[in-house]
Amino acid sequence: MTQSPSERRVVVTGIGVVGALGSDIHTFWKNILDGRCGIQPITRFDASAYDCKIAAEVRDFDPTPAFPTPKELRRTDRFVHFAVHAGWQALKDSGLDLDRCDRDRVGAFIGSGIGGLETTGDQHQILLARGPGRVSPFMIPMLILNMGAGMFSIYHNLRGPCVATCSACATSTHALGEAWRTLKMGDADVLFAGGSEATIVPLGISGFCAMKALSTRNDAPHKASRPFDAGRDGFVMGEGGGVLVLEDLEHARRRGARIYCEIVGYGNTADAHHLTAPSPEGEGAARCMKMALRGAGLNPSDVGYINAHGTSTPQGDVCETQAIKNVFGEHARRVAVSSTKGATGHMLGAAGAVEMALCAKALETGILPPTINLENPDPACDLDYVPNQAREQRVNVVLNNSFGFGGHNATIAARRFEG
């Protein structure tokens, strides 16, 4: 008998991450729990003339195993390398045998906030120095931001729904939410969902420096990203990718899959307020969290942990704190909240998926990741931010928040899987 959308359940069965703290979920998770920080002086280019000289670079990364040929690797931008590798890791982690699946019902929802910025910068330099005839014929397919989803689906012959979301720093959380909706509607059995970003390039760092958005604590890179701390002075750029395997529960059960958690709700709102600043008191973010809870049939008191957007910007951290208080009332004092961007940097379009991976691990293991560098709490940020050390605390329900320039808000609600 055909199930209705309200009866269909969606679970997470695989996780893949690439970031400064590791290129697989096991290494990444261990480093997060150990309180390690991936932020170091920039090495990908000479940053001596820039106000911000630090970032969370992905180092010692070999994407070759995830690509069919070295030629394909050369014809794709670094953000696609992250997306394809994270998807490949998620596939391996899930134990999914694609040859036993209906590939018309397996797809990819993998977005990027900016896309191939390195390709854009490099090819522009070639245009200026050598003329239009020397611009690469692969420039456009290398830089357009849908190519993470496109190339992953091509390499694995996935013929189901294929979408690339783009909503700045909310990109990959929107990808997860829209994938969840697609599975709930019965239009797919399995979707690889997430995002990637590779903007630690001169054009990216200079642009964010010009906005005065980045930390300039260059003499102490490991201390530079400090969400909710009174000494925070901006975010630190990160790069990488995160992809989760979202699967229809009955499909997962038939193949005996290991299940990390169940996704149960999704919020998606707009601030309609300002180009870059959040709406006053986090009004749009609050509506987003309420939408996710309402769709999941949850009460605020059901939530035990929130992975905050928490970028380490003066205004953003206060507004998110206010939004949480608005939604949770007195329970806000009892819910654990942490931002992992102190460790990972801000991975922009990849951030939400990587942070959802950490939420899934928190539900699976009963360990909450810490907010590192929280040494002198801002009086306006007065919740339980799991400061500096991971905490053993079993929770049943988590929220994952992501907010982006343009006023984009996205929240995923997930719960511990109980059969």
Side-chain angles (χ1 to χ4, degrees), residues 140-395:
I140 298 300
M142 285 177 73
L143 69 85
I144 51 180
L145 59 84
N146 66 302
M147 280 299 172
M151 299 315 292
F152 185 76
S153 66
I154 290 169
Y155 296 156
H156 295 280
N157 192 24
L158 309 182
R159 301 186 299 267
C162 188
V163 172
T165 54
C166 178
S167 48
C169 306
T171 289
S172 55
T173 304
H174 278 137
L176 290 161
E178 297 305 325
W180 173 77
R181 280 182 174 168
T182 300
L183 289 160
K184 292 282 282 184
M185 291 302 296
D187 292 333
D189 295 327
V190 180
L191 292 172
F192 293 80
S196 68
E197 208 76 88
T199 54
I200 304 175
V201 296
L203 202 56
I205 297 295
S206 62
F208 281 107
C209 281
M211 294 178 66
K212 306 298 183 185
L214 299 181
S215 171
T216 56
R217 198 184 295 259
N218 297 305
D219 57 342
H222 290 177
K223 299 288 187 179
S225 181
R226 38 199 319 113
F228 308 112
D229 188 86
R232 67 192 185 279
D233 69 331
F235 73 84
V236 179
M237 190 88 78
E239 64 177 355
V243 174
L244 282 70
V245 177
L246 272 55
E247 190 168 355
D248 174 82
L249 175 59
E250 295 309 312
H251 188 274
R253 279 175 167 160
R254 284 196 296 272
R255 68 179 188 88
R258 180 268 320 278
I259 294 172
Y260 283 103
C261 65
E262 179 178 3
I263 293 181
V264 293
Y266 169 45
N268 176 5
T269 67
D271 285 351
H273 171 66
H274 187 270
L275 185 68
T276 58
S279 56
E281 299 183 356
E283 182 274 337
R287 284 188 289 109
C288 191
M289 286 184 273
K290 288 176 180 177
M291 180 186 291
L293 292 172
R294 183 170 62 250
L298 294 168
N299 296 314
S301 58
D302 295 324
V303 177
Y305 170 67
I306 300 170
N307 188 290
H309 187 57
T311 58
S312 186
T313 57
Q315 188 177 15
D317 290 4
V318 172
C319 284
E320 186 168 10
T321 298
Q322 292 171 324
I324 291 169
K325 291 178 180 179
N326 177 311
V327 174
F328 291 90
E330 287 301 313
H331 184 63
R333 304 289 177 186
R334 294 186 289 274
V335 65
V337 181
S338 71
S339 170
T340 45
K341 290 184 175 72
T344 67
H346 189 355
M347 298 168 71
L348 307 183
V354 171
E355 289 155 10
M356 191 65 230
L358 300 179
C359 286
K361 289 295 291 183
L363 286 167
E364 179 200 34
T365 63
I367 306 174
L368 304 182
T371 304
I372 67 169
N373 298 326
L374 184 50
E375 298 167 342
N376 183 22
D378 184 338
C381 299
D382 55 353
L383 300 178
D384 173 9
Y385 300 112
V386 194
N388 300 310
Q389 291 187 326
R391 179 186 300 167
E392 290 191 20
Q393 181 179 332
R394 185 162 292 277
V395 296

Side-chain angles (χ1 to χ4, degrees), residues 74-77 79-80 116 119 136 138-144:
R74 293 193 298 272
R75 291 178 174 178
T76 47
D77 188 90
F79 90 97
V80 175
T119 294
S136 170
F138 295 102
M139 181 187 75
I140 298 300
M142 285 177 73
L143 69 85
I144 51 180

